[in-house]
Amino acid sequence: FNLKKAEDLLNIGRLSADKCKNCWAFNLCNVCAKYADNGNSLSGDFQNSVCKDSCLSAEWKIKAEIMRREVKGGVLK
């Protein structure tokens, strides 16, 4: 095992902590270590390059849940 790589993966949140901790979509974020891997190492910049798409995905999830609840509650009948 490469202990340095294992430690980096376990602490992946440190790469973008300052940016992520204030993001409105933090709890719905789907950015993971896969998006931080630039082929040679883990990169916060590389990880942040997919933030916009992750936020759009979170927005879609929220809208879909609102629609599901409205339809289920009879609002849109």
Side-chain angles (χ1 to χ4, degrees):
F1 289 103
N2 183 322
L3 294 179
K4 174 66 172 127
K5 286 185 179 184
E7 182 181 350
D8 289 346
L9 281 173
L10 289 171
N11 295 299
I12 194 77
R14 292 181 186 168
L15 290 175
S16 58
D18 291 336
K19 182 176 180 176
C20 294
K21 70 182 176 183
N22 294 314
C23 180
W24 69 268
F26 179 78
N27 290 330
L28 297 171
C29 187
N30 59 7
V31 176
C32 63
K34 172 176 82 172
Y35 295 110
D37 184 5
N38 68 7
N40 298 318
S41 63
L42 297 177
S43 164
D45 291 335
F46 199 73
Q47 185 181 31
N48 289 333
S49 70
V50 296
C51 284
K52 182 179 178 182
D53 290 337
S54 182
C55 287
L56 289 173
S57 176
E59 183 179 353
W60 183 88
K61 288 176 187 176
I62 292 168
K63 288 177 180 179
E65 180 61 20
I66 291 169
M67 182 67 76
R68 186 192 66 79
R69 289 180 185 199
E70 288 181 353
V71 170
K72 183 178 180 182
V75 176
L76 295 177
K77 286 186 177 179

